[in-house]
Amino acid sequence: MTRIVVLISGHGSNLQALIDAQQRAELGGGQIVAVISNRAEAYGLERARNANIPTEHLSHRDFAEREDFDAALMARIDAYMPDLVVLAGFMRILTPAFVRHFVGKMVNIHPSLLPKYPGLHTHARALEAGDTEHGATVHFVTENVDEGPIILQSRIPVLANDTADTLQQRVHQIEHQLYPRAVRMICEQNTP
Ligand code: GAR
């Protein structure tokens, strides 16, 4: 079994896709042992509670320094002894110490075909550039934001009448297939 801790900040639709995959026994023996959010109002916390997964809330606002929040978060995560840390819409810039601590066992999903468009507003940027395709990437987390070895990507065509909103919706949908597939792959490799 691969013990998974998922970090979220908001809606948690990718978390839901992972929960659904686990419930269908399609996560390669992966088990989500905790969901931690930096925002109390994150709807993803409710999704986790509905699935009887332990949840925690740790507010970054309670810490003066980024380093202190990350150190506290690291300790909370470590308490669950995870084999894999999954960032699913966790909207925080991570300190180097935090990244180093989990290097090789922390993954992220990003709404672009990395290395294109790290950071925010990826859909608008893809449109502005006149790209004919767009998509999502799952990658290992390294010290630079939205960089790190790519595990899987999924692409969609950009349609003539696409807006940033319609692109975002379609990318979100493919993420829900992509992330469980990538996590499953890692869990299967983790299982002797
Ligand atoms: C997802 O689209 C994910 O790719 C993005 O946040 C969204 C979270 O949605 N992550 C990033 O932009 C990270 N740089 P969700 O809360 O519904 O899973």
Side-chain angles (χ1 to χ4, degrees):
M1 171 184 125
T2 302
R3 297 173 62 83
I4 302 170
V5 170
V6 182
L7 305 187
I8 59 164
S9 296
H11 189 55
S13 67
N14 280 290
L15 165 67
Q16 188 67 57
L18 293 166
I19 292 172
D20 292 346
Q22 179 183 316
Q23 287 175 345
R24 291 193 304 262
E26 289 174 1
L27 214 50
Q31 189 167 342
I32 304 169
V33 293
V35 172
I36 305 177
S37 171
N38 63 316
R39 294 185 188 279
E41 69 280 9
Y43 181 60
L45 287 175
E46 199 163 319
R47 298 179 189 272
R49 284 192 286 266
N50 288 339
N52 293 317
I53 297 168
T55 60
E56 297 210 26
H57 163 233
L58 185 69
S59 177
H60 54 277
R61 299 213 176 88
D62 294 341
F63 298 84
E65 303 294 335
R66 189 177 288 280
E67 284 72 18
D68 297 336
F69 171 74
D70 275 13
L73 180 61
M74 203 190 292
R76 296 280 191 101
I77 297 170
D78 280 347
Y80 292 96
M81 295 179 297
D83 305 298
L84 183 64
V85 177
V86 170
L87 308 183
F90 185 62
M91 304 310 261
R92 296 275 309 166
I93 304 238
L94 305 169
T95 55
F98 184 91
V99 173
R100 275 199 296 271
H101 186 72
F102 295 112
V103 78
K105 58 179 200 171
M106 181 157 63
V107 296
N108 181 43
I109 191 161
H110 183 75
S112 79
L113 293 172
L114 292 173
K116 280 190 165 185
Y117 317 128
L120 299 174
H121 311 300
T122 58
H123 313 296
R125 286 155 72 198
L127 274 181
E128 221 160 86
D131 290 357
T132 54
E133 56 175 20
H134 186 43
T137 304
V138 177
H139 65 99
F140 284 106
V141 177
T142 54
E143 286 185 34
N144 294 334
V145 178
D146 301 325
E147 283 187 16
I150 289 172
I151 301 164
L152 279 182
Q153 283 186 320
S154 194
R155 38 194 85 222
I156 55 167
V158 176
L159 308 175
N161 56 352
D162 261 326
T163 62
D165 278 351
T166 60
L167 264 186
Q168 179 187 13
Q169 282 163 22
R170 297 212 321 286
V171 168
H172 226 154
Q173 274 171 8
I174 59 167
E175 287 187 341
H176 301 156
Q177 320 290 322
L178 180 68
Y179 220 177
R181 260 206 297 142
V183 170
R184 177 185 186 147
M185 246 173 58
I186 296 166
C187 291
E188 282 174 346
Q189 280 176 5
N190 235 10
T191 309

